[in-house]
Amino acid sequence: MKFTAIDFETANASMLSACSIGIVEFEDGVPVRETYTLIRPPEEFGKFNWYNVRIHGIKASMVKDAPTFDAVWEQIRGSIDGQLIVCHNAAFDTVVLCRLLEYYGIPVPSFDYVCTVKISQLLWPEMENHKLDTVCNDLNIVLNHHEALSDARACGLIFAEALKSQHCTNTADLLDALEMRVGHVSPQGRQSCSTSEEVRRKIISDKKKQASRRKYFARRNSAADTNEKGEKPS
């Protein structure tokens, strides 16, 4: 099976400040193609925060001649459009991708995605935590943490190890075994990659919100009826 692992690093807290991307395409659990590039963030979102620089080591001077994301997209589109995307903390990387596409007016492609944080939490709950470096250490995966290409490669290897550990040859079987729902991004919107427990909690939360709204409107309508009758509301 084929999948693509991706990782972004950002200059600051803005999702539009991506300053590097690593992309690794896998076939049958083995990396077969790797792409890495620095990215010059949009000027209004491109101020480098000292904390981010300390984490990934990328400085503003290093990206001043780098391509902007719209140019990078032309090189990486085929690795993402229509593919299964794997990220460690997919809620971050997929949102960065979509925000950049929207900013540059590029049509959002369709792709499925999975999150190796959630997968590792379900498969290996005994780990101290499920940060990328911790999972890699426990699985003996080489990692140069916060270097986008190394992070992407490691993420893909975690996913490959997850498939292997459950004797699964495809994503659907793995997610069924873990009671997970695949995430999906398309021009019509996004569906999050969720565990069955997260879905259950959301259903319960939505039901509570609906019940609360019904009670609110019932009280408001009751008060309105009372006022129309000229009675003093209690």
Side-chain angles (χ1 to χ4, degrees):
M1 63 169 289
K2 297 180 180 180
F3 61 87
T4 299
I6 70 171
D7 181 79
F8 281 100
E9 298 296 331
T10 57
N12 54 59
S14 171
M15 297 289 191
L16 288 168
S17 71
C19 57
S20 71
I21 183 173
I23 300 176
V24 182
E25 297 178 46
F26 282 75
E27 290 184 15
D28 298 325
V30 178
V32 294
R33 183 183 177 192
E34 299 186 344
T35 303
Y36 173 79
T37 183
L38 294 172
I39 302 171
R40 177 159 47 89
E43 186 173 345
E44 62 268 40
F45 300 103
K47 185 176 181 180
F48 278 68
N49 182 278
W50 67 269
Y51 181 76
N52 295 63
V53 172
R54 188 178 71 175
I55 288 175
H56 52 57
I58 302 172
K59 301 177 181 179
S61 59
M62 297 167 63
V63 303
K64 64 182 181 65
D65 296 321
T68 53
F69 180 78
D70 52 338
V72 171
W73 178 246
E74 295 305 314
Q75 305 171 32
I76 67 174
R77 181 201 306 268
S79 302
I80 294 175
D81 193 1
Q83 305 301 313
L84 172 67
I85 304 303
V86 180
C87 316
H88 203 76
N89 188 13
F92 173 79
D93 293 288
T94 59
V95 170
V96 169
L97 174 61
C98 290
R99 293 277 177 83
L100 286 166
L101 292 168
E102 292 165 2
Y103 176 84
Y104 286 104
I106 302 170
V108 175
S110 296
F111 60 85
D112 290 334
Y113 71 89
V114 293
C115 178
T116 51
V117 172
K118 295 182 179 184
I119 288 172
S120 61
Q121 287 172 336
L122 293 170
L123 273 181
W124 304 296
E126 72 282 358
M127 290 183 178
E128 180 181 359
N129 59 59
H130 296 87
K131 297 177 181 178
L132 184 60
D133 55 344
T134 302
V135 179
C136 286
N137 184 63
D138 282 19
L139 298 181
N140 295 314
I141 293 172
V142 175
L143 173 69
N144 179 16
H145 203 195
H146 298 301
E147 192 278 317
L149 185 60
S150 181
D151 284 4
R153 186 188 307 114
C155 170
L157 291 172
I158 291 170
F159 185 61
E161 183 62 28
L163 289 163
K164 181 180 177 182
S165 73
Q166 298 301 297
H167 308 289
C168 295
T169 58
N170 59 69
T171 306
D173 288 348
L174 176 64
L175 297 189
D176 283 346
L178 297 179
E179 296 185 351
M180 282 184 68
R181 180 181 69 184
V182 70
H184 184 70
V185 170
S186 74
Q188 288 71 45
R190 66 182 285 133
Q191 170 184 279
S192 65
C193 171
S194 304
T195 65
S196 59
E197 178 61 21
E198 288 172 331
V199 172
R200 186 188 70 82
R201 288 201 301 265
K202 186 176 187 307
I203 291 172
I204 292 173
S205 175
D206 288 346
K207 286 182 177 179
K208 288 181 178 179
K209 290 177 182 178
Q210 291 170 3
S212 178
R213 283 196 292 267
R214 285 195 295 269
K215 289 180 181 179
Y216 167 76
F217 285 114
R219 288 195 301 268
R220 193 176 72 172
N221 292 337
S222 176
D225 289 343
T226 299
N227 289 337
E228 288 178 2
K229 293 175 183 178
E231 300 174 5
K232 184 178 179 180
S234 57

PDB file of all heavy atoms in Angstrom, residues 11 79 84 121 123-124 126 135 144 161-162 168 188 191 194 225:
ATOM      1  N   ALA A  11       7.224  29.394  11.630  1.00  0.00           N
ATOM      2  CA  ALA A  11       8.063  30.467  12.159  1.00  0.00           C
ATOM      3  C   ALA A  11       7.526  31.028  13.469  1.00  0.00           C
ATOM      4  O   ALA A  11       8.281  31.579  14.274  1.00  0.00           O
ATOM      5  CB  ALA A  11       8.173  31.596  11.131  1.00  0.00           C
ATOM      6  N   SER A  79       2.021  14.430  -4.521  1.00  0.00           N
ATOM      7  CA  SER A  79       2.278  13.605  -3.337  1.00  0.00           C
ATOM      8  C   SER A  79       1.128  13.659  -2.337  1.00  0.00           C
ATOM      9  O   SER A  79       1.079  12.823  -1.421  1.00  0.00           O
ATOM     10  CB  SER A  79       3.570  14.071  -2.641  1.00  0.00           C
ATOM     11  OG  SER A  79       4.667  13.998  -3.509  1.00  0.00           O
ATOM     12  N   LEU A  84      -3.334   9.033   0.795  1.00  0.00           N
ATOM     13  CA  LEU A  84      -3.513   8.900   2.238  1.00  0.00           C
ATOM     14  C   LEU A  84      -2.366   9.646   2.895  1.00  0.00           C
ATOM     15  O   LEU A  84      -1.196   9.327   2.658  1.00  0.00           O
ATOM     16  CB  LEU A  84      -3.492   7.437   2.672  1.00  0.00           C
ATOM     17  CG  LEU A  84      -3.481   7.223   4.197  1.00  0.00           C
ATOM     18  CD1 LEU A  84      -4.795   7.684   4.822  1.00  0.00           C
ATOM     19  CD2 LEU A  84      -3.201   5.770   4.541  1.00  0.00           C
ATOM     20  N   GLN A 121      -1.338   6.176  20.740  1.00  0.00           N
ATOM     21  CA  GLN A 121      -2.025   6.180  22.043  1.00  0.00           C
ATOM     22  C   GLN A 121      -2.861   4.915  22.229  1.00  0.00           C
ATOM     23  O   GLN A 121      -2.928   4.355  23.328  1.00  0.00           O
ATOM     24  CB  GLN A 121      -2.916   7.420  22.161  1.00  0.00           C
ATOM     25  CG  GLN A 121      -2.146   8.714  22.374  1.00  0.00           C
ATOM     26  CD  GLN A 121      -3.032   9.940  22.289  1.00  0.00           C
ATOM     27  OE1 GLN A 121      -4.103   9.916  21.667  1.00  0.00           O
ATOM     28  NE2 GLN A 121      -2.593  11.024  22.890  1.00  0.00           N
ATOM     29  N   LEU A 123      -2.451   1.973  20.437  1.00  0.00           N
ATOM     30  CA  LEU A 123      -1.656   0.753  20.299  1.00  0.00           C
ATOM     31  C   LEU A 123      -0.677   0.538  21.436  1.00  0.00           C
ATOM     32  O   LEU A 123      -0.435  -0.598  21.858  1.00  0.00           O
ATOM     33  CB  LEU A 123      -0.892   0.790  18.977  1.00  0.00           C
ATOM     34  CG  LEU A 123      -1.602   0.267  17.735  1.00  0.00           C
ATOM     35  CD1 LEU A 123      -0.672   0.356  16.533  1.00  0.00           C
ATOM     36  CD2 LEU A 123      -2.068  -1.167  17.922  1.00  0.00           C
ATOM     37  N   TRP A 124      -0.085   1.637  21.905  1.00  0.00           N
ATOM     38  CA  TRP A 124       0.978   1.519  22.897  1.00  0.00           C
ATOM     39  C   TRP A 124       0.693   2.444  24.097  1.00  0.00           C
ATOM     40  O   TRP A 124       1.454   3.394  24.371  1.00  0.00           O
ATOM     41  CB  TRP A 124       2.322   1.868  22.252  1.00  0.00           C
ATOM     42  CG  TRP A 124       2.604   1.018  21.042  1.00  0.00           C
ATOM     43  CD1 TRP A 124       2.795  -0.335  21.011  1.00  0.00           C
ATOM     44  CD2 TRP A 124       2.721   1.462  19.683  1.00  0.00           C
ATOM     45  NE1 TRP A 124       3.019  -0.764  19.732  1.00  0.00           N
ATOM     46  CE2 TRP A 124       2.984   0.318  18.880  1.00  0.00           C
ATOM     47  CE3 TRP A 124       2.636   2.710  19.060  1.00  0.00           C
ATOM     48  CZ2 TRP A 124       3.145   0.386  17.500  1.00  0.00           C
ATOM     49  CZ3 TRP A 124       2.805   2.778  17.684  1.00  0.00           C
ATOM     50  CH2 TRP A 124       3.059   1.629  16.914  1.00  0.00           C
ATOM     51  N   GLU A 126       1.152   2.061  27.113  1.00  0.00           N
ATOM     52  CA  GLU A 126       2.134   1.980  28.198  1.00  0.00           C
ATOM     53  C   GLU A 126       3.272   2.976  28.046  1.00  0.00           C
ATOM     54  O   GLU A 126       4.053   3.188  28.989  1.00  0.00           O
ATOM     55  CB  GLU A 126       2.720   0.561  28.266  1.00  0.00           C
ATOM     56  CG  GLU A 126       3.666   0.182  27.138  1.00  0.00           C
ATOM     57  CD  GLU A 126       2.967  -0.184  25.825  1.00  0.00           C
ATOM     58  OE1 GLU A 126       1.715  -0.176  25.783  1.00  0.00           O
ATOM     59  OE2 GLU A 126       3.686  -0.475  24.842  1.00  0.00           O
ATOM     60  N   VAL A 135       7.824   8.174  21.070  1.00  0.00           N
ATOM     61  CA  VAL A 135       7.385   7.008  20.301  1.00  0.00           C
ATOM     62  C   VAL A 135       8.547   6.444  19.488  1.00  0.00           C
ATOM     63  O   VAL A 135       8.759   5.227  19.438  1.00  0.00           O
ATOM     64  CB  VAL A 135       6.202   7.368  19.387  1.00  0.00           C
ATOM     65  CG1 VAL A 135       5.770   6.154  18.562  1.00  0.00           C
ATOM     66  CG2 VAL A 135       5.010   7.882  20.202  1.00  0.00           C
ATOM     67  N   ASN A 144      15.810  12.942  13.939  1.00  0.00           N
ATOM     68  CA  ASN A 144      16.409  14.248  14.199  1.00  0.00           C
ATOM     69  C   ASN A 144      15.233  15.192  14.429  1.00  0.00           C
ATOM     70  O   ASN A 144      14.709  15.790  13.495  1.00  0.00           O
ATOM     71  CB  ASN A 144      17.259  14.698  13.004  1.00  0.00           C
ATOM     72  CG  ASN A 144      17.892  16.057  13.227  1.00  0.00           C
ATOM     73  OD1 ASN A 144      17.958  16.550  14.354  1.00  0.00           O
ATOM     74  ND2 ASN A 144      18.314  16.702  12.153  1.00  0.00           N
ATOM     75  N   GLU A 161       4.872   0.592  11.301  1.00  0.00           N
ATOM     76  CA  GLU A 161       4.997  -0.317  12.438  1.00  0.00           C
ATOM     77  C   GLU A 161       3.627  -0.650  13.015  1.00  0.00           C
ATOM     78  O   GLU A 161       3.377  -1.792  13.452  1.00  0.00           O
ATOM     79  CB  GLU A 161       5.882   0.313  13.513  1.00  0.00           C
ATOM     80  CG  GLU A 161       6.136  -0.569  14.723  1.00  0.00           C
ATOM     81  CD  GLU A 161       6.872  -1.853  14.382  1.00  0.00           C
ATOM     82  OE1 GLU A 161       7.634  -1.862  13.410  1.00  0.00           O
ATOM     83  OE2 GLU A 161       6.665  -2.859  15.099  1.00  0.00           O
ATOM     84  N   ALA A 162       2.722   0.327  13.017  1.00  0.00           N
ATOM     85  CA  ALA A 162       1.354   0.083  13.506  1.00  0.00           C
ATOM     86  C   ALA A 162       0.646  -0.950  12.632  1.00  0.00           C
ATOM     87  O   ALA A 162      -0.005  -1.872  13.143  1.00  0.00           O
ATOM     88  CB  ALA A 162       0.575   1.392  13.519  1.00  0.00           C
ATOM     89  N   CYS A 168      -1.963  -5.908   9.557  1.00  0.00           N
ATOM     90  CA  CYS A 168      -2.885  -5.284   8.608  1.00  0.00           C
ATOM     91  C   CYS A 168      -2.131  -4.907   7.331  1.00  0.00           C
ATOM     92  O   CYS A 168      -0.998  -4.436   7.394  1.00  0.00           O
ATOM     93  CB  CYS A 168      -3.516  -4.028   9.209  1.00  0.00           C
ATOM     94  SG  CYS A 168      -4.582  -4.348  10.632  1.00  0.00           S
ATOM     95  N   GLN A 188     -15.179  20.461  -0.078  1.00  0.00           N
ATOM     96  CA  GLN A 188     -16.442  20.631   0.646  1.00  0.00           C
ATOM     97  C   GLN A 188     -16.252  20.779   2.157  1.00  0.00           C
ATOM     98  O   GLN A 188     -17.196  21.109   2.870  1.00  0.00           O
ATOM     99  CB  GLN A 188     -17.368  19.431   0.373  1.00  0.00           C
ATOM    100  CG  GLN A 188     -17.960  19.398  -1.030  1.00  0.00           C
ATOM    101  CD  GLN A 188     -16.940  19.059  -2.092  1.00  0.00           C
ATOM    102  OE1 GLN A 188     -16.141  18.132  -1.922  1.00  0.00           O
ATOM    103  NE2 GLN A 188     -16.933  19.810  -3.183  1.00  0.00           N
ATOM    104  N   GLN A 191     -13.444  16.284   7.678  1.00  0.00           N
ATOM    105  CA  GLN A 191     -13.923  15.390   8.730  1.00  0.00           C
ATOM    106  C   GLN A 191     -12.700  14.959   9.524  1.00  0.00           C
ATOM    107  O   GLN A 191     -11.708  14.503   8.951  1.00  0.00           O
ATOM    108  CB  GLN A 191     -14.610  14.166   8.129  1.00  0.00           C
ATOM    109  CG  GLN A 191     -14.934  13.076   9.148  1.00  0.00           C
ATOM    110  CD  GLN A 191     -15.517  11.835   8.505  1.00  0.00           C
ATOM    111  OE1 GLN A 191     -16.703  11.787   8.215  1.00  0.00           O
ATOM    112  NE2 GLN A 191     -14.679  10.829   8.256  1.00  0.00           N
ATOM    113  N   SER A 194     -10.841  10.562  14.058  1.00  0.00           N
ATOM    114  CA  SER A 194     -11.314  10.454  15.435  1.00  0.00           C
ATOM    115  C   SER A 194     -11.350   9.011  15.906  1.00  0.00           C
ATOM    116  O   SER A 194     -11.562   8.085  15.116  1.00  0.00           O
ATOM    117  CB  SER A 194     -12.734  11.037  15.563  1.00  0.00           C
ATOM    118  OG  SER A 194     -12.788  12.370  15.118  1.00  0.00           O
ATOM    119  N   ASP A 225     -45.201  34.361  26.263  1.00  0.00           N
ATOM    120  CA  ASP A 225     -46.639  34.103  26.361  1.00  0.00           C
ATOM    121  C   ASP A 225     -47.224  34.784  27.585  1.00  0.00           C
ATOM    122  O   ASP A 225     -48.312  35.363  27.555  1.00  0.00           O
ATOM    123  CB  ASP A 225     -46.893  32.592  26.441  1.00  0.00           C
ATOM    124  CG  ASP A 225     -46.613  31.894  25.116  1.00  0.00           C
ATOM    125  OD1 ASP A 225     -46.538  32.588  24.089  1.00  0.00           O
ATOM    126  OD2 ASP A 225     -46.460  30.655  25.124  1.00  0.00           O
TER     127      ASP A 225
END
